[in-house]
Amino acid sequence: MSQTDTAYRTGEYVQQEGDYICEAGRRTALKEGDKFPYCPVTGLDTNWYYAV
């Protein structure tokens, strides 16, 4: 699994459609214009990383 180094925070807008991985390791498909959600595992704010 490869990730970019750029982190996106819960509540920020998605700039590029694709799969993102939260700090807990859960992969989620997001579309451009969506807001990054809370962590699907913990329910808390998290960092998201673009999965390439």
Side-chain angles (χ1 to χ4, degrees):
M1 171 173 54
S2 179
Q3 299 177 351
T4 63
D5 292 335
T6 304
Y8 304 95
R9 197 74 186 150
T10 296
E12 290 182 27
Y13 287 99
V14 176
Q15 300 292 318
Q16 180 179 355
E17 183 173 327
D19 287 350
Y20 289 83
I21 300 171
C22 70
E23 290 178 316
R26 181 74 54 93
R27 182 180 280 239
T28 302
L30 298 170
K31 295 181 181 179
E32 184 178 337
D34 286 349
K35 282 189 178 181
F36 285 99
Y38 292 103
C39 177
V41 175
T42 66
L44 302 173
D45 285 352
T46 190
N47 288 316
W48 291 90
Y49 302 91
Y50 188 72
V52 278

